[in-house]
Amino acid sequence: MSRGRDMDDNLSLGPVTLPRRALIGGIAAMGGLMVSGCSGDPPTYGSLLRMGDNLTWRAQRLLLPRRGLVREYEHADISSILAIGTTDPGNAKEPAFDPDHGEDYARLRAGGFADWKLLVEGAVARPGAYSLADLKALPQRTQITKHTCEEGWSAIAEWTGTPLRALLEHAGVKPSARFLNFYPYDGVVDGIDMIDALHPQTILAYGMNGRDLPVAHGAPVRARVETQLGYKSMKYLRRIVVTETFVDPGKAGMIQSGWSWYAGI
Ligand SMILES: Nc1nc2c(c(=O)[nH]1)N[C@H]1C(S)=C(S)[C@@H](COP(=O)(O)O)O[C@H]1N2
Ligand SMILES: [Mo]
């Protein structure tokens, strides 16, 4: 099924080749239902059950081709929110401590993140490194939203940050881009597709409930992907890589620990 992959703006879906626009619009999701998989899609690791994940992805993209905004709340609705998963990537005792980046995190944190920079790489015309000040110079959005963790709890908080779309446009995201992966300072990696990446409520948050984002919640900058379950909102961002095909983050990723790659809510 690799036929057509290198024809810039077309996707091969078995017997037919459709313009990429049709996939984004959801029409091609029907093609996806007729075949067992499509090159460049998230893998299923040969499990019949896991094939349902990709059907869910395609079906949601078909039914919600231009997804509206998720609900936003009032200040009075803000609740207490757990800090879960990694709560300090600089602490070698945490389960997901990353020996390659944990000490960097501890050093950056000690310096108030003045030297922190977010790398933006891959399918962008202008790869770059963005400081907190650079991100704050881009458009800003504040939203009060509900965080829903896959483990069964939810909480409401206010998040302030840069729309991911603004950053991607600043970096010159290529029209051929389809996915991106977030690489944080701990050893957990995950990604989203370009529809979620460009969604207006997908932001890179540096503020929470009117203050700087606390370390336990992902300082200095975390993703807020409001259209997906909690684990897609990666904390402690270090690097974003935009890709034209799906890149499996391997053992560090959520799929190989059993969670579905697509976690739309
Ligand atoms: N880098 C990183 N991001 C992460 C996690 C993590 O362990 N490491 N946990 C995820 C999960 S499962 C949830 S529910 C939320 C928790 O965010 P919170 O600690 O601000 O509540 O962060 C997500 N982002
Ligand atoms: Mo979670």
Side-chain angles (χ1 to χ4, degrees):
M1 289 270 298
S2 63
R3 193 163 51 86
R5 293 297 309 161
D6 45 13
M7 291 159 59
D8 238 21
D9 215 30
N10 294 303
L11 279 178
S12 167
L13 289 162
V16 283
T17 298
L18 293 173
R20 178 174 306 277
R21 190 176 300 273
L23 178 71
I24 306 261
I27 298 165
M30 299 185 75
L33 295 174
M34 296 185 297
V35 294
S36 59
C38 185
S39 65
D41 279 3
T44 58
Y45 294 107
S47 159
L48 263 183
L49 290 173
R50 299 303 301 272
M51 284 172 61
D53 297 346
N54 282 353
L55 296 186
T56 306
W57 176 42
R58 288 166 174 280
Q60 281 212 5
R61 288 332 188 194
L62 176 67
L63 295 169
L64 304 167
R66 302 240 187 280
R67 187 158 176 180
L69 299 185
V70 307
R71 179 169 172 198
E72 295 193 13
Y73 295 79
E74 305 294 326
H75 276 106
D77 301 318
I78 291 174
S79 63
S80 74
I81 174 167
L82 284 170
I84 203 169
T86 300
T87 53
D88 176 4
N91 179 354
K93 295 196 178 104
E94 294 229 355
F97 179 78
D98 181 345
D100 292 333
H101 302 290
E103 282 164 20
D104 290 347
Y105 184 84
R107 182 178 48 77
L108 292 166
R109 174 187 179 175
F113 298 111
D115 295 332
W116 173 88
K117 283 197 170 157
L118 176 67
L119 302 175
V120 180
E121 298 169 356
V124 293
R126 296 175 293 278
Y130 293 76
S131 67
L132 261 178
D134 294 334
L135 291 183
K136 288 179 180 173
L138 290 172
Q140 184 181 89
R141 182 182 171 97
T142 293
Q143 58 201 28
I144 302 176
T145 50
K146 184 184 275 179
H147 177 93
T148 305
C149 172
E150 71 292 349
E151 292 180 5
W153 56 272
S154 59
I156 294 172
E158 182 193 68
W159 308 100
T160 298
T162 308
L164 181 52
R165 178 179 198 132
L167 175 69
L168 291 174
E169 283 172 355
H170 189 267
V173 63
K174 296 186 177 168
S176 54
R178 284 184 71 209
F179 298 95
L180 60 78
N181 273 335
F182 297 115
Y183 295 86
Y185 278 93
D186 62 353
V188 185
V189 178
D190 208 344
I192 54 178
D193 69 16
M194 218 30 72
I195 293 180
D196 279 329
L198 300 177
H199 187 279
Q201 287 164 312
T202 298
I203 65 173
L204 300 186
Y206 41 74
M208 178 184 179
N209 296 337
R211 299 169 168 220
D212 287 349
L213 185 66
V215 166
H217 290 289
V221 172
R222 76 176 300 164
R224 290 297 316 163
V225 184
E226 309 293 359
T227 49
Q228 298 271 316
L229 285 175
Y231 55 88
K232 292 289 176 175
S233 288
M234 290 266 96
K235 308 194 282 188
Y236 315 111
L237 295 184
R238 180 173 64 79
R239 177 168 168 247
I240 292 177
V241 181
V242 182
T243 58
E244 293 171 352
T245 53
F246 181 80
V247 172
D248 188 336
K251 296 281 179 227
M254 297 295 279
I255 340 173
Q256 291 195 22
S257 43
W259 299 100
S260 82
W261 175 82
Y262 183 74
I265 49 177

